[in-house]
Amino acid sequence: MNRAEEDLLVLKAQDGDGRAFGALYGRYNPPLRRFAFRLCGDEQLALDAVQETWVSITSTLKKLEDPRAFRVWLYRTVRWRIVDLVRRRGAELEPLDEAEVADTAPAPHLATSSQLGAHIRALPDEERVTLVLFYLEEMKLTEIAAVLAIPVGTVKSRLFRAREHLKLQMSGDE
């Protein structure tokens, strides 16, 4: 789906077209769930946050003025839902606890999947979230800045620091 098609779906959904909303849901629900899970590491909390986001979107979609902002709006809403749900539970965000993946004889200069996952989980929260949005959700710098409500320059510096931390951590694995 290209950008124009997505914008058209948003406009139709704003006019009450259930098919258009369903198409947006189908496109964004899986990546939103992955993003939410990577933020909190709790599958149920991630599902709750995404579900609450979709419920909220149904009643507030008409207020969105620019259909091109839809993706950023969704991710920002999920991020805030995670923060709210974690606060309600009286807990703190924990790093993602993924299952270890067995790798067979990797090249000595390459990290295994489990090593890379561990290194990413060890990053400070702001760097981890920025890295996830950039590499895993494939967002542009301006979109990440909008989701996190920070300047683009801060996104760039967080990505730089995250990469540097990963290089340092991975150089210790050799």
Side-chain angles (χ1 to χ4, degrees), residues 1-169:
M1 175 183 316
N2 66 35
R3 183 58 140 199
E5 291 170 329
E6 182 177 311
D7 292 349
L8 184 59
L9 282 176
V10 171
L11 292 170
K12 286 181 176 182
Q14 286 178 316
D15 286 337
D17 185 334
R19 279 189 179 163
F21 189 84
L24 291 169
Y25 177 87
R27 175 181 170 99
Y28 283 107
N29 197 56
L32 285 175
R33 288 173 56 183
R34 280 192 309 272
F35 174 64
F37 182 71
R38 282 190 168 88
L39 286 179
C40 68
D42 180 322
E43 187 175 346
Q44 190 56 53
L45 184 78
L47 290 173
D48 290 346
V50 172
Q51 182 178 4
E52 285 186 21
T53 296
W54 285 113
V55 169
S56 169
I57 295 296
T58 60
S59 63
T60 58
L61 185 57
K62 289 185 181 199
K63 296 178 185 175
L64 182 65
E65 294 178 15
D66 182 1
R68 284 180 253 149
F70 182 74
R71 179 179 179 194
V72 169
W73 187 47
L74 273 176
Y75 279 86
R76 183 184 298 170
T77 304
V78 167
R79 178 175 167 258
W80 284 113
R81 291 282 184 230
I82 290 286
V83 170
D84 289 344
L85 289 171
V86 167
R87 283 184 188 151
R88 276 190 235 156
R89 290 183 178 183
E92 291 185 23
L93 287 177
E94 294 294 326
L96 178 61
D97 184 22
E98 295 176 358
E100 294 290 311
V101 179
D103 290 292
T104 56
H109 64 283
L110 299 176
T112 64
S113 298
S114 60
Q115 289 171 327
L116 183 58
H119 292 314
I120 290 172
R121 288 190 302 273
L123 290 173
D125 285 343
E126 348 178 278
E127 293 175 16
R128 183 171 39 89
V129 170
T130 307
L131 197 78
V132 165
L133 288 172
F134 187 74
Y135 288 107
L136 301 177
E137 299 303 327
E138 299 178 355
M139 285 192 171
K140 297 175 184 172
L141 295 175
T142 54
E143 292 175 319
I144 297 168
V147 168
L148 301 177
I150 57 176
V152 173
T154 303
V155 172
K156 290 178 183 179
S157 64
R158 285 182 185 178
L159 279 173
F160 176 81
R161 283 194 314 266
R163 290 181 196 121
E164 292 300 307
H165 281 130
L166 287 175
K167 283 180 196 174
L168 279 172
Q169 291 174 2

